[in-house]
């Protein structure tokens, strides 16, 4: 019981320390806005943003568009991330696959979202297909690269142990390679989710009639800066929450890992 209380106290202190910088920024921001040091039209005070957030939340506008955006991001991540994971594991296991596919995939990885977005719209129109595929394109490469590196970074000595234990190929993959690759895979998942949200913003601002990106783009047309800030903050909070959930899963599945946790 005492250990549980100590853990809860440590987490509470850790959370409070993490909130110092955001709270300090908000206080300075509010003081600067109230004192007229910044243009309130371009940078509205936090109080106005909170009021706008409450209005959009009570009207249902925010939750409706957030639901649409979350659905797009999740579907794009599942498609792109799933394919990236499969491709990364395949190329990591096979030298022939690496020689055949990796050069082309590395070339495609360098293409920015804004460069391919017009092509996706021309090919697939302004509907959901182009948006989801654009998100999937971004989600593919972080998982591909980290899955590939995770497989290739497995210690060779572990394979000697597997041969001594007479593991089959399937047992070697499931009991050796995949567990040893989990740290890289989780890093790939976190990066892939982050890029999925970035792809979502590009997709919804290029052409959409719903979603948080659409709200931001529409507010820009009417110079509604507080609405723009609400959309940006929603993106940031949702992205942080999804990253936090992945980190919780990572800690639980990687309890066996003995690595440096930082000092102080």
């Amino acid at each position: 019981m005492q250990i549980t209380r100590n853990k809860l106290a440590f987490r509470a202190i850790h959370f409070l320390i993490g909130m110092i910088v955001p709270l300090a920024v908000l206080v300075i921001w509010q003081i600067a806005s109230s004192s007229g040091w910044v243009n309130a039209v371009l940078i509205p005070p936090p109080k106005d943003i909170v009021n706008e957030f409450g209005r959009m939340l009570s009207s249902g506008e925010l939750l409706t568009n957030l639901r649409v955006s979350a659905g797009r991001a999740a579907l794009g991540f599942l498609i792109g991330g799933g394919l990236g994971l499969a491709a990364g594991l395949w190329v990591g296991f096979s030298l022939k696959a690496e020689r055949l596919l990796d050069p082309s995939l590395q070339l495609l990885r360098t293409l920015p979202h804004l460069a391919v977005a017009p092509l996706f719209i021309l090919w697939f129109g302004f509907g959901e297909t182009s948006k989801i595929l654009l998100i999937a394109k971004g989600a593919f490469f972080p998982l591909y690269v980290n899955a590939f590196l995770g497989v290739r970074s497995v210690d060779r000595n572990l394979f000697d142990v597997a041969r001594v234990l007479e593991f089959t190929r399937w047992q070697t993959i499931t009991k050796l390679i995949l567990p040893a690759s989990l740290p890289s895979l989780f890093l790939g998942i976190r990066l892939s989710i982050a890029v999925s949200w970035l792809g979502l913003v590009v997709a919804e601002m290029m052409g959409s009639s719903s979603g948080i990106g659409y709200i931001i783009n529409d507010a820009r047309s009417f110079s509604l800066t507080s609405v723009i800030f609400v959309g940006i903050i929603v993106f940031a909070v949702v992205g942080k929450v999804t990253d936090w959930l992945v980190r919780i899963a990572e800690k639980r599945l990687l309890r066996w890992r003995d690595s440096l946790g930082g000092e102080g």
Side-chain angles (χ1 to χ4, degrees), residues 182-238:
L182 278 179
S184 292
L185 293 180
F186 272 109
L187 176 60
I189 291 172
R190 292 176 63 187
L191 294 174
S192 185
I193 290 176
V195 177
S196 296
W197 284 107
L198 293 176
L200 174 69
V201 174
V202 174
E204 291 185 342
M205 294 185 71
M206 288 293 290
S208 180
S209 59
S210 60
I212 302 298
Y214 162 75
I215 289 178
I216 294 175
N217 197 40
D218 187 61
R220 177 189 61 81
S221 302
F222 295 98
S223 299
L224 301 175
T225 318
S226 58
V227 177
I228 296 176
F229 271 96
V230 169
I232 293 173
I233 292 171
V234 167
F235 271 130
V237 171
V238 174

Side-chain angles (χ1 to χ4, degrees), residues 151-170:
V151 172
R152 292 296 176 90
S153 62
V154 177
D155 191 344
R156 284 182 175 272
N157 294 325
L158 295 177
F159 289 96
D160 296 333
V161 175
R163 279 193 292 270
V164 171
L165 296 176
E166 298 182 348
F167 276 8
T168 64
R169 183 174 179 81
W170 178 249

